[in-house]
Every structure is written in C-alpha cells, then in structure tokens.
C-alpha cells in the first residue's frame, strides 16, 4: 500500500517477505515510488531490456547472413515474453542470467569483467532460487573445465547474494536461514 510504502514498510505476498527473494519486488517498489506508471510497465521494461541485450549481442557477434535467423529465434524465445506478461521475477532473473552468459561468451573481456560476473551472480541469487541453482551448476562446470576464475567468481557472487538475504532475515527475526528452512518446510508438506 502507498501509506506503508511511504514509511518504508512494504510487505505483501501473504507475509512471505522473509522467504521470497526481494530484488524484483524492491525494483518494483522503487519504480512505484517515482510514479505508479513505472510499476505498471515494469514487465514491459524488462522485456525491452532483454530485447536490447540480445539484439546488441547478436549484431556484434554473428555475421550478417546468420544475424536474422539467430536474432529472430532469441527475440521471440517464449520465456521472456511469457514471464513479462505475468509480471513475475523470472523476467529479471532471465535478463541477469542472459547477460552473464553473454559476458562469458565474449571473445574480448570487457573492463571490470570479473566484477560484473560477481555482481550479476549476486543479483541473480537475490532474484530467483532457480537462477541460483542454475548458476551454481554453471560455476561448478566452469571450475571443473579450466575456467577456474570465472567459476569461483560466479559461485562467490551467489554466496554473497544469499549472505545478504540471510543477514536481512537475521535483522528481521534473528534467524538467518529462515528463508531456507521455510522453503524446506513448505516443500515437505
């Protein structure tokens, strides 16, 4: 609600704010505090960001003959369109994971490459548990196949993101792993 938002106390999702990862909701709340229009169009904005990232990468990576086909497939990949339509955090996780993949696939590494790997892995860990699991497997895979720095940075970023979430849980209810135990209890039922 707006009154709760103005006090900095915004809790929704049936009091599950200590369990569900916060990055998407924080982004949504931050944009809503500027204007409610941003909160309404956030799914569209995330879809647009995804299209820009993919288009930029494909145009710079592939020769012109292959660009049209590759770009068509990636732009109309059903997941970002579906998630953007439902206003879910999966669209933000998809953008973060896609950008992390593009970083790994670049021939020449950009400035602050290793910091970007760490940061995008940490942000992914604050967005979706599935993204955390997927990037964890990717980090282990990279580590085992001689991309040790990249693997360690991705795994470190994931741990950092989960540490931040655990510290926030601790500050709220003095139980740092409440989010994890609650997930296990819910799935056990």
């Amino acid at each position: 609600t707006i009154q709760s938002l103005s006090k900095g106390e915004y809790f929704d999702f049936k009091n599950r704010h200590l369990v569900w990862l916060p990055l998407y909701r924080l982004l949504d709340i931050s944009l809503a505090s500027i204007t409610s229009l941003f909160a309404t169009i956030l799914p569209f904005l995330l879809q647009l960001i995804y299209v820009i990232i993919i288009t930029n990468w494909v145009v710079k990576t592939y020769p012109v003959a292959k660009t049209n086909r590759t770009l068509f497939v990636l732009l109309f990949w059903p997941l970002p369109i579906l998630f953007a339509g439902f206003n879910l955090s999966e669209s933000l996780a998809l953008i973060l994971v896609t950008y992390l993949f593009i970083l790994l696939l670049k021939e020449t590494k950009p400035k602050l490459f290793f910091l970007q790997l760490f940061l995008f892995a940490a942000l992914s860990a604050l967005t979706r548990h599935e993204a955390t699991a997927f990037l964890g497997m990717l980090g282990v895979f990279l580590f085992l196949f001689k991309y040790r720095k990249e693997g360690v940075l991705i795994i470190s970023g994931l741990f950092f993101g989960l540490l931040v979430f655990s510290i926030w849980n601790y500050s709220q209810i003095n139980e740092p792993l409440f989010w994890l135990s609650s997930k296990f209890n819910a799935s056990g039922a």
Side-chain angles (χ1 to χ4, degrees), residues 105-146:
L105 293 172
K106 284 189 175 187
E107 294 284 326
T108 57
K109 304 303 180 204
K111 290 181 180 178
L112 304 173
F113 169 73
F114 293 112
L115 179 63
Q116 288 180 27
L117 281 182
F118 180 85
L119 179 65
F120 281 97
L123 292 174
S124 296
L126 290 170
T127 306
R128 293 292 305 170
H129 293 296
E130 296 84 356
T132 305
F134 180 75
L135 290 179
M137 289 186 287
L138 175 66
V140 169
F141 178 80
L142 289 172
F143 184 81
L144 293 176
F145 290 96
K146 302 190 184 195

Side-chain angles (χ1 to χ4, degrees), residues 7 9-10 17 20 22 24 26 30 50 61 73 76 107 122 129 131 136 143 152-153 167 171-173 179:
K7 293 180 185 176
E9 304 173 48
Y10 184 77
H17 62 281
W20 291 0
Y24 183 81
L26 291 176
S30 299
Y50 175 80
T61 305
V73 168
F76 295 104
E107 294 284 326
H129 293 296
F143 184 81
V152 167
L153 280 167
I167 290 170
S171 73
Q172 297 295 311
I173 60 169
W179 62 272

